[in-house]
Amino acid sequence: MTTLRFVEHLHELVGSVDVVLSDIWGVVHNGLESFPDACAALKTARDQGRTVVLITNAPRPADSVQRQLRKLDVPDDCYDAIVSSGDLTRIYVAEHPGQSIYWLGPDRDNSIYRGLDAVLTPLEKADYIICTGPFDDETESAEDYREMMGQALQRKLTLVCANPDIVVERGDRLIYCAGAIAELYRELGGDVIFYGKPHRPIYDRAMALAREIRGVDTPVQRVLAIGDSVRTDLAGAQGYGIDLLFVTRGIHADAFEGIDRLDTAAVNELFGHPPLALTRELRW
């Protein structure tokens, strides 16, 4: 016997739910295409009076995330708002005017600085680092940055991680993210500030947006999170006191082969404290 609960439909869990906090990558799309059933499920939740906030570790502002969703045919009407780790990183930059930044990340993430008086500089002159990911996530991993992180450590630079994910899906492959580099820097002894799941500020922001939309505070007992990562989605929701529906088709898919036959010890090793329920993919 395990302590896991399996469901096939979102409607089995939301009878007493007012707010849904849904992950995006791995739940709503895989980086290349959207999941129509998942989009329809979130739309139905909204149609029945619930507020849906998409909560993502994307290192870009919410409006840039929305543009990507539209390109992947994720309809605007399946969510009420988006909160991203990029939004929170922008606040950090705005609160440190005049300080110079070494930006570690691909050019596509440059919207994180849009409208800000950001001073970008080489590593040897920077006051701190912002990491949005590897320069080339198609070919690189954190190990490619070990020497650079050693140089940053010598200068005692703070690294602001704009995406705590270690990996994400891109089609049928796993791609390294900023979190992998940030964790390496932390292991070396560097100072790291993480914005995004599983850390509390992004949940505070999501709940504030829900309050603006609904006009009232929502107790955590009436909130359901949805995600596909043990390290970010599950840990973040549980740390905030929110139940989580865990989607197994995402980055941990290989680990869930035969999960319904796991004993309690194996379940605890995989999850720690299990989520409210598991489903292979999100559908109403």
Side-chain angles (χ1 to χ4, degrees), residues 25 56-62 64-65 68 83-90 103-114 130-134 137 160-165 168 176-179 195-196 202:
W25 205 309
T56 174
N57 281 353
R60 296 176 296 281
S64 293
V65 175
Q68 181 192 31
V83 58
S84 72
S85 54
D87 292 327
L88 301 177
T89 303
R90 285 171 56 82
W103 174 27
L104 170 52
D107 289 341
R108 67 172 181 270
D109 294 336
N110 62 9
S111 61
I112 198 169
Y113 303 111
R114 187 179 61 240
I130 287 183
C131 182
T132 63
D137 58 16
V160 179
C161 178
N163 177 1
D165 286 348
V168 294
Y176 282 99
C177 301
Y195 286 120
I202 198 167

Side-chain angles (χ1 to χ4, degrees), residues 148-194:
M148 178 188 293
M149 292 300 99
Q151 295 170 359
L153 186 62
Q154 289 180 345
R155 298 199 58 229
K156 299 182 180 179
L157 297 180
T158 294
L159 185 149
V160 179
C161 178
N163 177 1
D165 286 348
I166 301 295
V167 294
V168 294
E169 288 183 292
R170 182 171 295 156
D172 58 358
R173 295 178 298 129
L174 294 180
I175 302 298
Y176 282 99
C177 301
I181 299 172
E183 289 294 350
L184 171 62
Y185 191 50
R186 186 164 68 169
E187 290 171 7
L188 293 173
D191 177 38
V192 179
I193 298 173
F194 289 96

